[in-house]
Amino acid sequence: MPLSEHEQRMLEQMERALYAEDPKFASALEGSGLRTYTRRRVYQAVAGFLVGIALLMAGMVAQQIWVSVVGFLVMLGCAVLAVTGWRKAPKPGEQPTAPTGSAGARRQTRQRRSMMDRIEQRWQRRRDEQGGH
C-alpha cells in the first residue's frame, strides 16, 4: 500500500533528522548495508549452528551430558537468529520498509487502538456505575 503525501513528508523529515543526528548510523541502515549486515548475521548463525552440532556430538562421544545440552542450546539460539535474520533481510533490489508502513507497526497500532477502546469502555462503565448510585 503506497504512503500518503503526509506520510511521505513525515518519513522524509525523519530520514533527514536521522542523517543530521548520526550520519554513520544512517548510512549503515541503507538498503545494501542492511542487506549485507543481515546476510552476515545469518551466515554467522549457520556457523554457530554447526558448532552446536559439533558440541552435541562431542558430548555424546565423551558421555558428558552437559556438553550435549550446551551444544543443543547453541544450535537452538543460532537457528532462531538465522530465521529472524533471514525474514528481516530485504530482497535484492527492494528498499527496506519504513517502520510506519510495516505490518508490525500496523498490528501495533491496532493493538494500541483496541487497548484504548478497552480503557475508554472501562472509564465509561465506571462513570455509569458512579452516576447510578
Side-chain angles (χ1 to χ4, degrees):
M1 171 168 34
L3 298 175
S4 69
E5 288 182 34
H6 175 70
E7 291 171 332
Q8 288 176 346
R9 282 193 305 267
M10 293 291 291
L11 183 59
E12 289 171 4
Q13 287 176 354
M14 290 181 346
E15 287 175 357
R16 282 193 298 266
L18 178 62
Y19 275 104
E21 218 173 277
D22 194 355
K24 184 178 177 183
F25 178 69
S27 63
L29 288 181
E30 287 181 345
S32 63
L34 181 61
R35 187 171 46 248
T36 303
Y37 170 75
T38 52
R39 188 178 299 140
R40 186 178 327 128
R41 181 176 165 198
V42 168
Y43 290 150
Q44 289 171 346
V46 168
F49 188 83
L50 295 175
V51 168
I53 290 175
L55 283 172
L56 182 72
M57 293 298 168
M60 291 173 63
V61 169
Q63 295 182 349
Q64 296 291 324
I65 301 292
W66 67 272
V67 175
S68 296
V69 170
V70 168
F72 176 76
L73 293 175
V74 168
M75 288 171 50
L76 183 65
C78 289
V80 169
L81 282 176
V83 169
T84 58
W86 194 262
R87 285 183 181 169
K88 290 179 183 176
K91 307 285 185 267
E94 178 185 41
Q95 290 294 326
T97 57
T100 56
S102 68
R106 279 184 259 133
R107 188 179 324 114
Q108 187 177 12
T109 303
R110 268 188 254 127
Q111 288 174 346
R112 209 178 284 145
R113 220 180 287 142
S114 65
M115 184 181 73
M116 288 302 293
D117 290 341
R118 286 193 313 257
I119 291 172
E120 288 176 9
Q121 288 172 357
R122 288 178 189 165
W123 178 258
Q124 187 65 36
R125 209 175 16 222
R126 287 180 186 157
R127 282 185 43 201
D128 292 343
E129 288 173 1
Q130 289 177 353
H133 289 153

